[in-house]
Amino acid sequence: VHFHPRFGAFVAGVEEVPCEDVDEVLRLVSFGSQVRTTAATMLNECSSRSHAIFSLRLERSQSSNSIMLVDLAGREQERLSMCRTERFKELTLINRSLFHLARCVRELAASQVEKTGAGGKE
């Protein structure tokens, strides 16, 4: 997750892939899991070093529904994880992207409150 001063939060490298059946969906989920980056730190033997976002949109003749599954790399503190060199660089990028994601969520929540009012209904 990145933040552009003019355009706001965005995710680089997003790709939309149409699927015709459940098997295609499951193959994409499997592929996404395989390309995730992990590495050992002092706190976690298999620490996720990347975020994953899987969005599924089901389209029918009269309507469509969406569900998003998000798996985020965890925030780590440098002094506890004892990360150095490349791992430290990853740690700072992960923490920065989590910061921007939190900022994005706050902005979305605030815009929803403005849109629906204090009662929460449109």
Coordinates of all heavy atoms in Angstrom, one line a residue, residues 32-122:
G32 N -1.4 -17.0 -5.6 CA -1.1 -15.9 -4.7 C -0.4 -16.3 -3.5 O 0.6 -15.6 -3.0
S33 N -0.7 -17.4 -2.9 CA -0.1 -17.9 -1.7 C 1.4 -18.3 -2.0 O 2.3 -18.1 -1.1 CB -0.8 -19.2 -1.1 OG -2.1 -18.8 -0.6
Q34 N 1.6 -18.9 -3.1 CA 3.0 -19.3 -3.5 C 3.9 -18.2 -3.7 O 5.1 -18.3 -3.5 CB 2.9 -20.2 -4.7 CG 2.3 -21.6 -4.5 CD 2.0 -22.3 -5.8 OE1 2.6 -22.0 -6.8 NE2 1.3 -23.4 -5.7
V35 N 3.4 -17.1 -4.2 CA 4.3 -15.9 -4.5 C 4.5 -15.0 -3.3 O 5.2 -14.0 -3.4 CB 3.9 -15.2 -5.8 CG1 4.0 -16.1 -7.0 CG2 2.5 -14.5 -5.6
R36 N 3.8 -15.3 -2.2 CA 4.0 -14.4 -1.0 C 5.5 -14.6 -0.6 O 6.1 -15.6 -0.6 CB 3.1 -14.9 0.1 CG 1.6 -14.8 -0.1 CD 0.9 -13.6 0.3 NE 1.3 -12.8 1.4 CZ 0.8 -12.7 2.5 NH1 -0.2 -13.6 2.8 NH2 1.2 -11.9 3.5
T37 N 6.0 -13.5 0.0 CA 7.3 -13.5 0.5 C 7.3 -13.7 2.0 O 6.6 -13.0 2.7 CB 8.0 -12.1 0.2 OG1 7.9 -11.9 -1.2 CG2 9.4 -12.1 0.6
T38 N 8.2 -14.7 2.5 CA 8.3 -14.9 3.9 C 9.8 -15.0 4.2 O 10.6 -15.2 3.3 CB 7.6 -16.2 4.4 OG1 8.2 -17.3 3.7 CG2 6.1 -16.2 4.1
A39 N 10.1 -14.7 5.5 CA 11.5 -14.8 5.9 C 11.6 -15.0 7.4 O 10.6 -14.6 8.1 CB 12.3 -13.6 5.5
A40 N 12.6 -15.6 7.9 CA 12.8 -15.7 9.4 C 13.2 -14.5 10.0 O 14.1 -13.7 9.5 CB 13.8 -16.9 9.6
T41 N 12.6 -14.2 11.2 CA 13.1 -13.1 12.0 C 13.3 -13.7 13.4 O 13.0 -14.8 13.6 CB 12.1 -11.9 12.1 OG1 10.9 -12.3 12.8 CG2 11.7 -11.4 10.7
M42 N 13.8 -12.9 14.3 CA 14.0 -13.4 15.7 C 12.7 -13.7 16.4 O 12.6 -14.5 17.3 CB 14.8 -12.4 16.5 CG 16.2 -12.2 16.1 SD 17.2 -13.7 16.3 CE 17.5 -13.6 18.1
L43 N 11.6 -13.1 15.9 CA 10.3 -13.2 16.5 C 9.4 -14.3 15.8 O 8.5 -14.8 16.4 CB 9.5 -11.9 16.5 CG 10.1 -10.8 17.3 CD1 9.3 -9.5 17.1 CD2 10.2 -11.1 18.8
N44 N 9.7 -14.6 14.6 CA 8.9 -15.5 13.8 C 9.7 -16.2 12.8 O 10.3 -15.6 11.9 CB 7.8 -14.6 13.2 CG 6.7 -15.4 12.5 OD1 6.8 -16.6 12.2 ND2 5.6 -14.8 12.1
E45 N 9.6 -17.5 12.8 CA 10.4 -18.4 11.9 C 10.0 -18.2 10.4 O 10.8 -18.3 9.5 CB 10.3 -19.8 12.3 CG 11.2 -20.8 11.5 CD 11.0 -22.2 12.1 OE1 11.3 -22.4 13.3 OE2 10.7 -23.1 11.3
C46 N 8.7 -17.9 10.2 CA 8.1 -17.8 8.9 C 7.3 -16.5 8.8 O 6.1 -16.5 8.6 CB 7.3 -19.0 8.5 SG 6.8 -19.1 6.8
S47 N 8.0 -15.4 8.9 CA 7.3 -14.1 9.0 C 6.9 -13.6 7.6 O 7.7 -13.6 6.7 CB 8.3 -13.1 9.6 OG 7.7 -11.8 9.6
S48 N 5.6 -13.3 7.5 CA 5.2 -12.8 6.2 C 5.8 -11.4 5.9 O 5.8 -10.5 6.7 CB 3.6 -12.6 6.2 OG 3.2 -12.1 5.0
R49 N 6.4 -11.2 4.7 CA 7.1 -10.0 4.4 C 6.3 -9.2 3.3 O 6.8 -8.3 2.7 CB 8.5 -10.2 3.9 CG 9.3 -11.2 4.7 CD 9.3 -10.9 6.2 NE 10.0 -9.6 6.5 CZ 9.9 -9.0 7.7 NH1 9.2 -9.5 8.6 NH2 10.6 -7.9 7.9
S50 N 5.0 -9.7 3.1 CA 4.2 -9.0 2.0 C 2.8 -9.0 2.5 O 2.4 -9.8 3.3 CB 4.4 -9.7 0.7 OG 4.0 -11.1 0.8
H51 N 2.0 -8.2 1.8 CA 0.5 -8.2 2.0 C -0.1 -8.9 0.9 O 0.4 -9.0 -0.2 CB 0.0 -6.7 2.1 CG 0.7 -5.8 3.0 ND1 1.0 -6.1 4.3 CD2 1.2 -4.6 2.8 CE1 1.6 -5.1 4.9 NE2 1.7 -4.2 4.0
A52 N -1.3 -9.5 1.1 CA -2.1 -10.1 0.1 C -3.5 -9.6 0.2 O -4.1 -9.5 1.3 CB -2.0 -11.6 0.2
I53 N -4.1 -9.2 -1.0 CA -5.5 -8.8 -1.0 C -6.1 -9.6 -2.1 O -5.6 -9.6 -3.3 CB -5.6 -7.3 -1.3 CG1 -4.9 -6.5 -0.2 CG2 -7.1 -6.9 -1.5 CD1 -4.8 -5.0 -0.5
F54 N -7.2 -10.3 -1.8 CA -7.9 -11.1 -2.8 C -9.3 -10.6 -2.8 O -10.0 -10.6 -1.8 CB -7.9 -12.6 -2.3 CG -8.6 -13.5 -3.3 CD1 -8.0 -13.9 -4.5 CD2 -9.9 -14.0 -3.0 CE1 -8.7 -14.7 -5.4 CE2 -10.5 -14.8 -3.9 CZ -9.9 -15.2 -5.1
S55 N -9.8 -10.1 -3.9 CA -11.1 -9.6 -4.1 C -11.9 -10.5 -5.0 O -11.4 -10.8 -6.1 CB -11.0 -8.2 -4.6 OG -12.3 -7.7 -4.8
L56 N -13.0 -11.0 -4.6 CA -13.9 -11.9 -5.4 C -15.2 -11.1 -5.7 O -15.9 -10.7 -4.8 CB -14.1 -13.2 -4.6 CG -15.0 -14.2 -5.3 CD1 -14.4 -14.7 -6.6 CD2 -15.3 -15.3 -4.4
R57 N -15.5 -11.0 -6.9 CA -16.7 -10.3 -7.4 C -17.6 -11.4 -8.1 O -17.1 -11.9 -9.1 CB -16.5 -9.1 -8.2 CG -17.7 -8.4 -8.6 CD -17.5 -7.1 -9.3 NE -16.9 -7.4 -10.6 CZ -15.8 -6.8 -11.1 NH1 -15.1 -5.9 -10.3 NH2 -15.3 -7.1 -12.2
L58 N -18.7 -11.7 -7.6 CA -19.6 -12.6 -8.3 C -20.7 -11.8 -9.0 O -21.4 -10.9 -8.4 CB -20.3 -13.5 -7.2 CG -19.4 -14.3 -6.3 CD1 -20.3 -15.0 -5.3 CD2 -18.7 -15.3 -7.2
E59 N -20.7 -12.0 -10.3 CA -21.7 -11.3 -11.1 C -22.8 -12.2 -11.6 O -22.5 -13.3 -12.1 CB -21.0 -10.6 -12.3 CG -20.0 -9.6 -11.9 CD -19.3 -8.9 -13.1 OE1 -19.5 -9.4 -14.2 OE2 -18.5 -8.0 -12.8
R60 N -24.0 -11.7 -11.5 CA -25.2 -12.4 -12.0 C -25.9 -11.5 -12.9 O -25.6 -10.3 -13.0 CB -26.1 -12.8 -10.8 CG -25.4 -14.0 -10.0 CD -26.2 -14.2 -8.8 NE -26.0 -13.1 -7.9 CZ -25.9 -13.1 -6.6 NH1 -26.1 -14.3 -6.0 NH2 -25.6 -12.1 -5.9
S61 N -26.9 -11.9 -13.5 CA -27.7 -11.1 -14.5 C -28.3 -9.9 -13.9 O -28.3 -8.8 -14.5 CB -28.7 -11.9 -15.2 OG -29.7 -12.4 -14.3
Q62 N -28.8 -9.9 -12.7 CA -29.4 -8.8 -12.0 C -28.6 -8.1 -11.0 O -29.0 -7.0 -10.5 CB -30.7 -9.3 -11.4 CG -31.7 -9.9 -12.4 CD -32.2 -8.8 -13.4 OE1 -32.5 -7.7 -13.0 NE2 -32.3 -9.2 -14.6
S63 N -27.5 -8.7 -10.5 CA -26.8 -8.1 -9.4 C -25.4 -8.6 -9.3 O -25.0 -9.6 -10.0 CB -27.5 -8.3 -8.1 OG -27.5 -9.7 -7.8
S64 N -24.6 -8.0 -8.5 CA -23.2 -8.5 -8.2 C -22.9 -8.3 -6.7 O -23.4 -7.4 -6.1 CB -22.2 -7.9 -9.1 OG -22.0 -6.5 -8.7
N65 N -22.1 -9.2 -6.2 CA -21.6 -9.1 -4.8 C -20.1 -9.2 -4.8 O -19.5 -9.9 -5.6 CB -22.2 -10.2 -4.0 CG -23.7 -10.0 -3.8 OD1 -24.2 -9.0 -3.5 ND2 -24.4 -11.1 -4.1
S66 N -19.5 -8.6 -3.8 CA -18.0 -8.6 -3.7 C -17.6 -9.0 -2.3 O -18.3 -8.7 -1.3 CB -17.4 -7.3 -4.0 OG -17.6 -7.0 -5.4
I67 N -16.5 -9.7 -2.2 CA -15.9 -10.0 -0.9 C -14.4 -9.8 -1.0 O -13.8 -10.1 -2.0 CB -16.2 -11.4 -0.4 CG1 -15.7 -11.6 1.0 CG2 -15.7 -12.4 -1.3 CD1 -16.2 -12.9 1.7
M68 N -13.8 -9.2 0.0 CA -12.4 -9.0 0.0 C -11.7 -9.7 1.2 O -12.2 -9.6 2.3 CB -12.0 -7.5 0.1 CG -12.4 -6.7 -1.1 SD -11.7 -5.0 -1.1 CE -10.2 -5.4 -2.0
L69 N -10.7 -10.4 0.9 CA -9.9 -11.1 1.9 C -8.5 -10.5 1.9 O -7.9 -10.3 0.9 CB -9.7 -12.6 1.5 CG -11.1 -13.3 1.3 CD1 -10.8 -14.7 0.7 CD2 -11.9 -13.4 2.5
V70 N -8.1 -10.1 3.1 CA -6.9 -9.3 3.2 C -6.0 -10.0 4.3 O -6.4 -10.3 5.4 CB -7.1 -7.9 3.7 CG1 -5.8 -7.1 3.8 CG2 -8.1 -7.2 2.7
D71 N -4.7 -10.3 3.9 CA -3.8 -10.9 4.8 C -2.6 -9.9 4.8 O -1.9 -9.8 3.8 CB -3.3 -12.3 4.4 CG -2.4 -13.0 5.3 OD1 -2.2 -12.4 6.5 OD2 -1.8 -14.0 5.0
L72 N -2.4 -9.3 6.0 CA -1.3 -8.3 6.1 C -0.1 -8.8 6.7 O -0.2 -9.6 7.7 CB -1.8 -7.1 6.9 CG -3.1 -6.4 6.3 CD1 -3.5 -5.3 7.3 CD2 -2.8 -5.8 4.9
A73 N 1.1 -8.4 6.2 CA 2.3 -8.7 7.0 C 2.2 -7.9 8.3 O 1.7 -6.8 8.4 CB 3.5 -8.1 6.2
G74 N 2.7 -8.5 9.3 CA 2.6 -7.9 10.7 C 3.6 -6.8 10.9 O 4.7 -6.9 10.4
R75 N 3.2 -5.9 11.7 CA 4.1 -4.8 12.1 C 5.1 -5.4 13.1 O 4.7 -6.1 14.0 CB 3.3 -3.7 12.8 CG 4.2 -2.5 13.1 CD 3.3 -1.4 13.8 NE 4.1 -0.3 14.1 CZ 5.0 -0.2 15.0 NH1 5.3 -1.2 15.8 NH2 5.7 0.9 15.2
E76 N 6.3 -5.0 12.9 CA 7.4 -5.5 13.8 C 8.2 -4.3 14.3 O 8.4 -3.3 13.6 CB 8.3 -6.5 13.1 CG 7.6 -7.8 12.7 CD 8.5 -8.8 12.1 OE1 9.7 -8.5 12.0 OE2 8.0 -9.8 11.6
Q77 N 8.7 -4.5 15.5 CA 9.6 -3.4 16.1 C 11.0 -3.9 15.9 O 11.4 -5.0 16.2 CB 9.3 -3.2 17.6 CG 7.9 -2.7 17.8 CD 7.7 -2.5 19.3 OE1 8.6 -2.5 20.1 NE2 6.4 -2.3 19.6
E78 N 11.8 -3.0 15.4 CA 13.2 -3.3 15.1 C 14.0 -3.9 16.2 O 14.7 -4.9 16.1 CB 14.0 -2.1 14.5 CG 15.4 -2.4 14.2 CD 16.3 -1.3 14.5 OE1 15.9 -0.1 14.8 OE2 17.5 -1.5 14.4
R79 N 13.9 -3.3 17.4 CA 14.7 -3.7 18.5 C 14.3 -5.1 19.0 O 15.1 -5.9 19.5 CB 14.6 -2.7 19.7 CG 13.3 -2.5 20.3 CD 13.3 -1.5 21.5 NE 12.0 -1.2 21.9 CZ 11.3 -1.9 22.7 NH1 11.7 -3.1 23.1 NH2 10.1 -1.5 23.0
L80 N 13.0 -5.5 18.8 CA 12.6 -6.8 19.2 C 12.9 -7.9 18.1 O 13.2 -9.0 18.5 CB 11.1 -6.8 19.5 CG 10.6 -6.0 20.7 CD1 9.1 -6.0 20.8 CD2 11.3 -6.5 22.0
S81 N 12.7 -7.5 16.9 CA 12.9 -8.5 15.8 C 14.4 -8.7 15.5 O 14.8 -9.6 14.8 CB 12.1 -8.1 14.6 OG 12.6 -6.9 14.1
M82 N 15.2 -7.7 15.9 CA 16.7 -7.7 15.6 C 17.0 -7.8 14.1 O 17.9 -8.4 13.7 CB 17.4 -8.9 16.4 CG 17.0 -8.9 17.8 SD 18.2 -8.6 19.1 CE 19.7 -9.0 18.5
C83 N 16.1 -7.2 13.3 CA 16.3 -7.2 11.9 C 17.5 -6.3 11.5 O 17.7 -5.2 12.1 CB 15.1 -6.6 11.2 SG 13.7 -7.8 11.2
R84 N 18.3 -6.7 10.5 CA 19.4 -6.0 10.0 C 19.4 -6.1 8.5 O 18.8 -6.9 7.9 CB 20.7 -6.5 10.6 CG 20.9 -6.5 12.1 CD 21.0 -5.0 12.6 NE 21.1 -5.0 14.0 CZ 20.1 -4.7 14.8 NH1 18.9 -4.6 14.4 NH2 20.3 -4.7 16.1
T85 N 20.1 -5.2 7.9 CA 20.3 -5.1 6.4 C 19.0 -5.3 5.7 O 18.1 -4.4 5.8 CB 21.4 -6.2 6.0 OG1 20.9 -7.5 6.2 CG2 22.7 -6.0 6.6
E86 N 18.9 -6.3 4.8 CA 17.7 -6.4 4.0 C 16.4 -6.6 4.8 O 15.4 -6.1 4.4 CB 17.9 -7.6 3.0 CG 16.9 -7.7 1.9 CD 17.0 -6.5 0.9 OE1 18.1 -5.9 0.8 OE2 16.0 -6.1 0.4
R87 N 16.5 -7.4 5.8 CA 15.3 -7.5 6.7 C 14.8 -6.2 7.3 O 13.7 -6.0 7.5 CB 15.5 -8.6 7.8 CG 15.8 -10.0 7.3 CD 14.5 -10.6 6.8 NE 14.8 -11.7 5.9 CZ 14.8 -11.6 4.6 NH1 14.6 -10.5 4.0 NH2 15.1 -12.6 3.8
F88 N 15.8 -5.4 7.7 CA 15.4 -4.1 8.2 C 14.8 -3.2 7.2 O 13.8 -2.5 7.5 CB 16.7 -3.3 8.8 CG 16.4 -2.0 9.3 CD1 15.7 -1.9 10.6 CD2 16.7 -0.8 8.7 CE1 15.4 -0.6 11.1 CE2 16.4 0.4 9.2 CZ 15.7 0.5 10.4
K89 N 15.3 -3.2 6.0 CA 14.6 -2.5 4.9 C 13.2 -3.0 4.7 O 12.3 -2.2 4.5 CB 15.4 -2.6 3.6 CG 14.9 -1.8 2.4 CD 15.8 -2.0 1.2 CE 15.3 -1.2 0.0 NZ 16.1 -1.4 -1.1
E90 N 13.0 -4.3 4.7 CA 11.6 -4.9 4.5 C 10.8 -4.4 5.7 O 9.6 -4.0 5.5 CB 11.7 -6.4 4.5 CG 12.2 -7.0 3.3 CD 12.3 -8.5 3.4 OE1 12.2 -9.1 4.5 OE2 12.6 -9.1 2.3
L91 N 11.3 -4.5 6.9 CA 10.5 -4.1 8.1 C 10.0 -2.6 8.0 O 8.9 -2.3 8.2 CB 11.4 -4.2 9.3 CG 10.8 -3.8 10.7 CD1 11.3 -4.8 11.7 CD2 11.2 -2.4 11.0
T92 N 10.9 -1.7 7.5 CA 10.5 -0.3 7.4 C 9.4 -0.2 6.3 O 8.5 0.6 6.5 CB 11.7 0.6 7.1 OG1 12.4 0.2 6.0 CG2 12.7 0.6 8.3
L93 N 9.6 -0.9 5.2 CA 8.6 -0.8 4.1 C 7.2 -1.4 4.6 O 6.2 -0.8 4.3 CB 9.1 -1.5 2.9 CG 10.2 -0.9 2.2 CD1 10.8 -1.8 1.0 CD2 9.9 0.5 1.6
I94 N 7.3 -2.5 5.3 CA 6.0 -3.1 5.8 C 5.3 -2.1 6.8 O 4.1 -1.9 6.7 CB 6.3 -4.4 6.5 CG1 6.7 -5.5 5.5 CG2 5.1 -4.9 7.4 CD1 7.3 -6.8 6.1
N95 N 6.1 -1.6 7.7 CA 5.5 -0.7 8.7 C 5.0 0.6 8.0 O 3.9 1.1 8.4 CB 6.6 -0.3 9.8 CG 6.8 -1.5 10.7 OD1 6.1 -2.5 10.7 ND2 7.9 -1.3 11.5
R96 N 5.7 1.1 7.0 CA 5.2 2.3 6.3 C 3.9 2.0 5.5 O 2.9 2.7 5.5 CB 6.2 2.8 5.3 CG 5.8 4.0 4.6 CD 6.8 4.5 3.6 NE 8.1 4.7 4.2 CZ 9.3 4.5 3.5 NH1 9.3 4.1 2.3 NH2 10.4 4.6 4.1
S97 N 3.8 0.8 4.9 CA 2.6 0.5 4.1 C 1.4 0.2 5.1 O 0.3 0.6 4.8 CB 2.8 -0.8 3.2 OG 3.0 -1.9 4.0
L98 N 1.7 -0.3 6.3 CA 0.6 -0.5 7.3 C 0.1 0.9 7.8 O -1.1 1.1 8.0 CB 1.1 -1.3 8.5 CG 1.3 -2.8 8.1 CD1 2.0 -3.5 9.3 CD2 0.0 -3.5 7.8
F99 N 1.1 1.8 7.9 CA 0.7 3.2 8.3 C -0.3 3.8 7.2 O -1.3 4.4 7.5 CB 1.9 4.1 8.4 CG 1.6 5.5 8.6 CD1 1.2 6.1 9.8 CD2 1.8 6.4 7.5 CE1 0.9 7.4 9.9 CE2 1.5 7.7 7.6 CZ 1.1 8.3 8.8
H100 N 0.1 3.7 5.9 CA -0.7 4.2 4.9 C -2.1 3.5 4.8 O -3.1 4.1 4.5 CB 0.0 4.2 3.5 CG 1.2 5.2 3.5 ND1 1.0 6.5 3.7 CD2 2.5 5.0 3.2 CE1 2.2 7.1 3.6 NE2 3.1 6.2 3.3
L101 N -2.0 2.2 5.0 CA -3.3 1.4 5.0 C -4.2 2.0 6.1 O -5.4 2.2 5.9 CB -3.0 0.0 5.2 CG -4.3 -0.9 5.2 CD1 -5.1 -0.8 3.9 CD2 -3.9 -2.4 5.5
A102 N -3.7 2.2 7.3 CA -4.5 2.7 8.4 C -5.0 4.1 8.0 O -6.2 4.4 8.3 CB -3.6 2.7 9.7
R103 N -4.2 4.9 7.4 CA -4.7 6.2 7.0 C -5.8 6.1 6.0 O -6.8 6.8 6.1 CB -3.5 6.9 6.4 CG -3.7 8.3 6.0 CD -2.4 8.9 5.5 NE -2.6 10.3 5.1 CZ -1.6 11.1 4.6 NH1 -0.3 10.6 4.6 NH2 -1.8 12.3 4.2
C104 N -5.7 5.2 5.0 CA -6.7 4.9 4.0 C -8.0 4.5 4.7 O -9.1 5.0 4.4 CB -6.2 3.9 3.1 SG -7.4 3.5 1.7
V105 N -7.9 3.6 5.7 CA -9.1 3.1 6.4 C -9.8 4.2 7.1 O -11.0 4.4 7.1 CB -8.8 1.9 7.3 CG1 -9.9 1.6 8.2 CG2 -8.4 0.7 6.5
R106 N -9.0 5.1 7.8 CA -9.6 6.2 8.5 C -10.3 7.1 7.6 O -11.4 7.6 7.9 CB -8.5 7.0 9.3 CG -8.1 6.3 10.6 CD -7.2 7.3 11.4 NE -6.0 7.7 10.8 CZ -4.9 7.0 10.8 NH1 -4.8 5.9 11.5 NH2 -3.8 7.5 10.2
E107 N -9.7 7.4 6.4 CA -10.3 8.3 5.4 C -11.6 7.7 4.9 O -12.6 8.4 4.7 CB -9.3 8.6 4.3 CG -8.2 9.6 4.7 CD -7.2 9.9 3.6 OE1 -7.5 9.6 2.4 OE2 -6.1 10.4 3.9
L108 N -11.6 6.4 4.6 CA -12.8 5.8 4.1 C -13.9 5.8 5.2 O -15.1 6.1 4.9 CB -12.5 4.3 3.7 CG -11.7 4.1 2.4 CD1 -11.3 2.7 2.3 CD2 -12.5 4.6 1.2
A109 N -13.5 5.5 6.4 CA -14.5 5.6 7.5 C -15.1 7.0 7.7 O -16.3 7.2 7.8 CB -13.9 5.1 8.8
A110 N -14.2 8.0 7.6 CA -14.7 9.4 7.8 C -15.6 9.8 6.6 O -16.6 10.4 6.8 CB -13.5 10.3 7.8
S111 N -15.3 9.3 5.4 CA -16.1 9.7 4.3 C -17.5 9.0 4.4 O -18.5 9.5 4.0 CB -15.4 9.4 2.9 OG -15.3 8.0 2.7
Q112 N -17.5 7.8 4.9 CA -18.7 7.0 5.1 C -19.6 7.7 6.2 O -20.8 7.8 6.0 CB -18.5 5.6 5.5 CG -19.7 4.7 5.5 CD -20.3 4.5 4.2 OE1 -19.6 4.6 3.1 NE2 -21.6 4.3 4.1
V113 N -19.0 8.3 7.2 CA -19.7 9.0 8.3 C -20.3 10.2 7.6 O -21.5 10.6 7.9 CB -18.8 9.3 9.5 CG1 -19.5 10.3 10.4 CG2 -18.5 8.1 10.2
E114 N -19.5 11.0 6.8 CA -20.1 12.2 6.2 C -21.2 11.8 5.2 O -22.2 12.5 5.2 CB -18.9 12.8 5.4 CG -17.9 13.5 6.2 CD -16.7 14.0 5.4 OE1 -16.8 14.0 4.1 OE2 -15.7 14.4 6.0
K115 N -21.1 10.7 4.5 CA -22.1 10.3 3.5 C -23.4 9.9 4.2 O -24.5 10.2 3.8 CB -21.5 9.1 2.7 CG -22.4 8.6 1.6 CD -21.7 7.5 0.9 CE -22.6 6.8 -0.1 NZ -22.0 5.7 -0.7
T116 N -23.3 9.1 5.3 CA -24.5 8.5 6.0 C -25.0 9.4 7.1 O -26.1 9.1 7.6 CB -24.2 7.1 6.4 OG1 -23.2 7.1 7.4 CG2 -23.8 6.2 5.3
G117 N -24.2 10.3 7.6 CA -24.6 11.0 8.8 C -24.3 10.2 10.1 O -23.8 9.1 10.1
A118 N -24.6 10.8 11.2 CA -24.3 10.2 12.5 C -25.0 8.9 12.7 O -24.6 8.0 13.4 CB -24.6 11.2 13.6
G119 N -26.2 8.7 12.1 CA -27.0 7.5 12.4 C -26.5 6.3 11.7 O -26.9 5.2 12.0
G120 N -25.6 6.5 10.7 CA -25.0 5.4 10.0 C -25.9 4.8 8.9 O -25.6 3.7 8.3
K121 N -27.0 5.4 8.5 CA -27.9 4.9 7.5 C -27.9 5.9 6.3 O -27.9 7.1 6.5 CB -29.3 4.7 8.0 CG -29.4 3.7 9.0 CD -30.8 3.5 9.5 CE -30.9 2.4 10.5 NZ -32.3 2.2 11.0
E122 N -27.9 5.3 5.1 CA -28.0 6.2 3.9 C -29.4 6.6 3.6 O -30.4 5.9 3.9 CB -27.4 5.4 2.7 CG -26.0 5.2 2.8 CD -25.3 4.6 1.6 OE1 -25.5 5.1 0.5 OE2 -24.7 3.5 1.7

